[in-house]
Amino acid sequence: MIKSRYNWDFSQPTESITEDIVKKLNLSPIIKKVLESKDIVQEEAIQNVIQDNVINHNPMSLSDMHKAIERINLAIDKKERILVYGDYDADGVTSTTILVSTLRKLGAQVGWYIPNRFSEGYGPNKFAFQNAYDEGISLIITVDNGIQGHEEIKMVQDLGVDVIVTDHHEMGETLPEAHAIVHPMHPDFDYPFEYLCGAGVAYKLSQALLDHPPQQFLALAAIGTIADLVSLTDENRSIVKQGLTVLNEHPPVAIQAILKQAGFNNQITEETIGFIIGPRLNAVGRLEDASFAAELLMSEESEVSEFLAEQLEHFNQERKDIVADITEEAMVLAEAQVKQGQLFLLLAKENWHEGVLGIVASKIVETYALPTLILNIDTAQNHAKGSARSIEQVSMFEILDAHHDLIDKFGGHHMAAGMTMCIENIDTLRYKLNQWMKKLSESTSLEPQKKVDVRLDANEITVKNIKDIQNLRPFGSDFNSPVFEVRDLTIKSIRAIGQDGKHLKLTLSDYQLPALYWNYGIIANELEIGQPISIIGNLQINEWNGNQTAQLIIQDIALDKLQILDYRSKRKNLKFKEDETNIAYVIHPKNEKLNEHHYHYGETIVPTYDKVVFRDLPNTMDEIEQTLSHLQLSQLYLVLNHDKSIYFEGIPNKALFKNCYKALINKKETNLAKEGMMLCDYLDLKPEVLKFILKVFKELGFIYDEDGIIKINNHPNKQEIEMSRIYKLRQSRIEVEKRLLYDDFSNIKEWIKSYLI
């Protein structure tokens, strides 16, 4: 049995698409299932997904848009100096680029500024605003920030500088005293779609100013929308679809340069933005000053773009290296806390780069499925600063807000947060967060869950169906790439592939369906040909030499039956650590237990282990039968270490015992060191067998051994050879080897199962 990493959350759709709509829109069965799983069942909603309907809400219906346009046009007419104040992530630099480019087209005197993540932090800051005033700026327009900048905005407004806030983040109970606030969630206005990103709001402002903005602005808005993980529905979906068309047909020179440096020359999709373009634009702001990324996006000459993109690639590689180093260190700390039973992982250390801690926290959550806060300790500033990531069952905002007395500053939402705190409060906060989690665990299951959209049969996994599914793209937040569940697939082949066998490749069912499980090559030896297995994952088309085949990209697997796995060969090495808490080791009685997870044969093993390893060969079949009789587990690993095998030596027959005894009587005294080999030659037996015979004789009192000199007992008690304990142990050992080492493994499995039922 392989226990799934997640609880598979599948629920039947509450509504179905009517047959009339299916016929009218020509929906294939697979598309019908996918749309129903997302509660998209009405004709108009379906058309918005499957057709290229452009959703373009009136930009003038955004809050304060009239006031914003009027003030911007006035500034242009009066040749006032305008500052666009951005943010250091991908959404921020695309927002900045869209608005600066828009104002330049209108002839404005415009500059731009992006705060430094480390020295200035997120959002407006008084120093930057004061500096803008000192340089003669009379209008500041924020993009992708500003809605929480109450004090800073009031300060600069009091100096006579007007501020227009364009933002999309959560609004507080009060709003800043800005000249205008352009925000899709503004409570006093009724914009049809609340979930634009910063670049989306900047694009709507550009529409209001230019009437018909350049198409390349759509490409930038699409990048910001996907990179910021906002809802990919309604107008956002339309922006992304249009933007992807632009990126493929007329990509900006900056984007061409980024992709060239990344070695990417295929069709640009939402995944290209999410995994290639977005992370590279984010990398600069995570390490240094994000102004560099905005400068790249604003460049229009190929040579300049290629030079800047090359530097961007260096930043991205540096970011990857830093993440890898910190992740390695953080995993060690996380593993220790998990073993201690911690339910909230608070990891803190000096010299961790603050700009990447959110990425590291996500990797820890992915591994341990526990909410995680990672802090860099800055002893010079006497504070710790970092990022947190959560699981679905736990609101990170709620849990941190409940302990705000220990935190200097924090902000975030359900799944993520950033914070700063005093170093001396770290241990107290860790303790209280874990107490909070323990109380939550009494009423809420913390088991990780994975939403399953559709259940399929193996015969439904075809190239045609996958192409139909891909026609629903782009996928993203609130419109995820569908996760499919396929049950009872038969394993036809198993391979660990990639460097060091890092990944797993399976062939499944009579349809010879390929399946890939990234980073799980380690379980190749836990699977067996012919086993039935259930899988959840995504569907993909694999192209090779012009041929297209369907394949599964596995997210999780489950095997409902008990697994008995053969690791007796020296070619197979267990990759478990002997202090892992979910694995019990059964060892030979003479061997010392290393920890509480080690048991001797015959002892009762507590029923809390998923895996049990029979590490050593037992003395007797009774010992292993006693262990098996009360065992509860999902996987049993047979390693059965032993010094040497005696099965093929067997047990000497009685005639050999008699001949040996006669030879010893004839000599009366035998010096083993000098005469042992001659005795072996005389009796035609191996030295090991002679040693065994002599041990039996000694135990039964037939001989004495005085420092290697064998003497006959002239008055022994008459006993049968079979009465010897040593003789019986050898019999038992030979039976153990016969049953556990040399029998067909299928017979061994059936015998073990008979005791576990």
Side-chain angles (χ1 to χ4, degrees):
M1 179 185 295
I2 294 181
K3 188 176 184 295
S4 59
R5 295 166 56 220
Y6 302 96
N7 286 332
W8 299 355
D9 178 17
F10 174 77
S11 55
Q12 292 287 350
T14 55
E15 292 186 66
S16 299
I17 302 173
T18 65
E19 286 304 314
D20 289 342
I21 294 176
V22 169
K23 291 178 181 178
K24 182 177 180 180
L25 301 180
N26 193 28
L27 303 179
S28 67
I30 192 76
I31 293 300
K32 179 177 182 291
K33 288 181 179 182
V34 171
L35 292 174
E36 288 173 345
S37 75
K38 299 179 182 300
D39 295 322
I40 300 174
V41 295
Q42 301 303 318
E43 183 175 345
E44 183 179 357
I46 295 171
Q47 286 178 326
N48 287 338
V49 171
I50 66 174
Q51 298 176 2
D52 292 328
N53 293 347
V54 174
I55 300 175
N56 182 24
H57 301 307
N58 183 0
M60 302 309 297
S61 61
L62 275 163
S63 64
D64 287 349
M65 184 63 88
H66 289 278
K67 288 176 66 177
I69 296 302
E70 183 180 348
R71 182 65 185 88
I72 291 169
N73 285 329
L74 177 64
I76 294 171
D77 292 341
K78 295 177 65 176
K79 300 190 182 302
E80 297 179 51
R81 297 184 67 191
I82 303 172
L83 178 70
V84 175
Y85 187 93
D87 187 30
Y88 42 69
D89 65 0
D91 189 19
V93 295
T94 51
S95 304
T96 302
T97 302
I98 290 170
L99 192 52
V100 169
S101 300
T102 297
L103 295 174
R104 284 176 176 172
K105 286 184 176 297
L106 292 169
Q109 296 187 32
V110 58
W112 51 276
Y113 183 86
I114 294 178
N116 185 286
R117 176 194 294 263
F118 308 104
S119 60
E120 298 173 276
Y122 170 76
N125 70 82
K126 291 182 179 180
F127 176 82
F129 277 14
Q130 178 68 51
N131 191 54
Y133 167 75
D134 293 341
E135 292 184 358
I137 300 294
S138 57
L139 175 61
I140 296 174
I141 308 174
T142 71
V143 290
D144 194 32
N145 73 91
I147 201 63
Q148 298 295 337
H150 294 63
E151 292 183 17
E152 297 84 356
I153 290 172
K154 185 178 188 313
M155 178 209 78
V156 79
Q157 287 267 164
D158 289 345
L159 292 174
V161 178
D162 285 332
V163 178
I164 297 173
V165 171
T166 77
D167 200 358
H168 73 110
H169 293 95
E170 291 289 338
M171 307 178 80
E173 294 182 3
T174 60
L175 299 177
E177 297 177 15
H179 178 83
I181 296 175
V182 181
H183 197 298
M185 296 183 190
H186 198 295
D188 297 335
F189 292 80
D190 190 22
Y191 190 70
F193 182 63
E194 293 185 341
Y195 304 112
L196 293 170
C197 69
V201 177
Y203 179 72
K204 300 307 290 185
L205 179 56
S206 179
Q207 279 187 320
L209 287 166
L210 294 178
D211 203 19
H212 295 291
Q215 279 194 318
Q216 292 197 339
F217 290 4
L218 272 169
L220 294 172
I223 292 170
T225 299
I226 292 171
D228 217 50
L229 302 177
V230 292
S231 177
L232 204 61
T233 56
D234 199 87
E235 191 167 22
N236 281 346
R237 182 173 180 80
S238 183
I239 287 172
V240 169
K241 290 185 81 168
Q242 294 176 82
L244 286 172
T245 299
V246 175
L247 284 168
N248 281 289
E249 295 179 357
H250 308 288
V253 291
I255 302 304
Q256 292 182 54
I258 291 172
L259 295 176
K260 181 179 179 181
Q261 285 296 321
F264 182 87
N265 56 8
N266 297 321
Q267 183 182 18
I268 299 171
T269 68
E270 70 275 19
E271 291 181 347
T272 314
I273 295 173
F275 295 107
I276 297 178
I277 300 173
R280 283 164 172 76
L281 293 176
N282 278 321
V284 190
R286 291 187 181 280
L287 301 183
E288 292 188 20
D289 189 341
S291 299
F292 182 87
E295 184 181 350
L296 168 59
L297 291 179
M298 291 182 201
S299 65
E300 296 181 352
E301 296 182 8
S302 296
E303 289 187 4
V304 175
S305 294
E306 288 182 9
F307 172 78
L308 295 174
E310 184 178 354
Q311 308 310 308
L312 191 73
E313 190 66 24
H314 289 312
F315 276 114
N316 187 57
Q317 188 56 54
E318 183 181 358
R319 187 265 306 170
K320 287 182 179 179
D321 293 341
I322 292 171
V323 168
D325 290 342
I326 297 176
T327 299
E328 184 177 356
E329 295 178 3
M331 284 291 184
V332 174
L333 300 180
E335 184 178 2
Q337 291 191 16
V338 169
K339 288 177 180 176
Q340 294 167 6
Q342 304 272 13
L343 297 177
F344 191 110
L345 305 180
L346 195 164
L347 315 175
K349 193 173 180 180
E350 290 185 70
N351 300 318
W352 278 352
H353 200 298
E354 296 169 9
V356 302
L357 295 186
I359 300 174
V360 178
S362 295
K363 291 179 180 293
I364 301 294
V365 173
E366 183 180 345
T367 301
Y368 292 105
L370 293 172
T372 301
L373 169 60
I374 301 189
L375 299 171
N376 173 58
I377 296 176
D378 187 338
T379 52
Q381 300 292 326
N382 191 33
H383 73 216
K385 187 177 181 182
S387 297
R389 297 292 183 268
S390 196
I391 57 177
E392 288 290 343
Q393 300 95 314
V394 180
S395 168
M396 187 59 71
F397 182 88
E398 180 183 347
I399 192 171
L400 292 181
D401 189 49
H403 302 91
H404 66 270
D405 56 314
L406 296 170
I407 302 170
D408 295 338
K409 181 182 179 182
F410 87 94
H413 51 82
H414 185 91
M415 295 300 291
M419 60 171 291
T420 304
M421 66 180 296
C422 291
I423 297 171
E424 55 265 28
N425 289 340
I426 290 176
D427 289 339
T428 304
L429 180 63
R430 180 185 291 114
Y431 173 78
K432 291 197 171 183
L433 290 174
N434 271 281
Q435 291 300 111
W436 196 93
M437 288 293 297
K438 286 176 183 176
K439 185 174 181 180
L440 176 69
S441 68
E442 294 172 0
S443 58
T444 303
S445 171
L446 299 180
E447 289 288 323
Q449 297 191 12
K450 183 73 73 172
K451 176 74 169 63
V452 174
D453 296 289
V454 178
R455 284 179 172 164
L456 292 179
D457 293 328
N459 60 5
E460 295 179 274
I461 303 175
T462 64
V463 170
K464 179 186 179 304
N465 278 343
I466 297 173
K467 286 182 176 179
D468 283 349
I469 294 165
Q470 290 180 343
N471 287 332
L472 299 178
R473 300 177 79 162
F475 296 118
S477 298
D478 295 333
F479 194 78
N480 65 289
S481 177
V483 176
F484 297 97
E485 178 181 342
V486 193
R487 304 195 69 84
D488 297 327
L489 293 164
T490 303
I491 298 177
K492 299 294 184 180
S493 71
I494 306 163
R495 286 174 57 205
I497 62 172
Q499 187 175 5
D500 299 323
K502 187 177 182 181
H503 312 297
L504 177 69
K505 183 172 184 179
L506 302 175
T507 304
L508 303 167
S509 83
D510 293 335
Y511 298 95
Q512 298 296 309
L513 174 67
L516 296 173
Y517 200 3
W518 303 119
N519 301 312
Y520 276 86
I522 191 172
I523 69 170
N525 289 331
E526 298 181 27
L527 300 171
E528 298 175 275
I529 304 296
Q531 282 182 322
I533 194 170
S534 297
I535 286 175
I536 62 170
N538 305 111
L539 301 182
Q540 190 180 80
I541 293 175
N542 180 46
E543 295 195 30
W544 179 255
N545 287 338
N547 295 319
Q548 293 185 331
T549 55
Q551 68 180 8
L552 266 167
I553 304 300
I554 301 172
Q555 292 190 20
D556 198 11
I557 64 175
L559 184 64
D560 296 333
K561 295 183 179 179
L562 167 71
Q563 284 184 288
I564 301 169
L565 300 159
D566 187 4
Y567 275 75
R568 297 170 300 168
S569 169
K570 291 181 179 180
R571 294 191 302 272
K572 291 185 178 181
N573 294 314
L574 282 177
K575 296 185 179 180
F576 305 139
K577 298 176 182 177
E578 293 212 11
D579 59 352
E580 292 188 34
T581 57
N582 69 327
I583 304 173
Y585 287 83
V586 185
I587 63 176
H588 195 282
K590 72 177 181 181
N591 291 331
E592 184 180 352
K593 299 177 183 178
L594 298 179
N595 54 48
E596 69 274 20
H597 307 301
H598 283 64
Y599 296 83
H600 288 140
Y601 280 105
E603 292 182 341
T604 300
I605 300 174
V606 294
T608 58
Y609 297 99
D610 292 328
K611 301 177 175 68
V612 174
V613 177
F614 283 3
R615 195 193 71 181
D616 302 331
L617 196 68
N619 279 323
T620 68
M621 294 303 293
D622 286 342
E623 285 181 355
I624 196 170
E625 288 169 5
Q626 189 175 351
T627 299
L628 289 169
S629 63
H630 58 253
L631 205 55
Q632 297 180 35
L633 76 167
S634 59
Q635 290 179 321
L636 176 62
Y637 293 80
L638 298 183
V639 180
L640 304 178
N641 291 330
H642 53 284
D643 293 332
K644 66 172 186 175
S645 172
I646 64 170
Y647 175 73
F648 294 105
E649 294 177 4
I651 295 183
N653 57 40
K654 284 191 175 183
L656 192 53
F657 275 97
K658 288 179 180 179
N659 291 338
C660 183
Y661 191 66
K662 286 180 182 178
L664 294 173
I665 290 176
N666 291 336
K667 287 283 295 177
K668 294 188 179 180
E669 289 187 5
T670 303
N671 186 325
L672 279 183
K674 295 181 179 180
E675 303 173 281
M677 287 307 299
M678 287 189 293
L679 184 57
C680 287
D681 291 340
Y682 174 73
L683 297 171
D684 192 22
L685 50 76
K686 294 180 179 179
E688 292 79 7
V689 178
L690 176 60
K691 288 178 183 178
F692 167 69
I693 292 174
L694 295 178
K695 285 180 181 179
V696 172
F697 286 166
K698 182 180 176 182
E699 181 194 359
L700 295 176
F702 295 168
I703 63 173
Y704 304 109
D705 185 347
E706 298 179 357
D707 296 326
I709 306 298
I710 303 300
K711 297 181 179 181
I712 294 295
N713 180 0
N714 293 320
H715 304 288
N717 294 325
K718 188 174 182 180
Q719 300 177 74
E720 294 294 330
I721 294 296
E722 291 86 347
M723 298 301 294
S724 163
R725 182 185 64 85
I726 294 173
Y727 187 94
K728 291 178 180 178
L729 283 175
R730 189 175 183 92
Q731 280 185 316
S732 296
R733 171 60 183 267
I734 289 174
E735 182 187 8
V736 165
E737 290 188 19
K738 177 183 178 182
R739 297 286 297 275
L740 299 179
L741 296 183
Y742 299 110
D743 197 0
D744 187 83
F745 188 61
S746 62
N747 295 333
I748 296 173
K749 287 198 296 184
E750 291 306 314
W751 175 80
I752 290 174
K753 287 178 182 178
S754 70
Y755 277 88
L756 292 174
I757 294 175

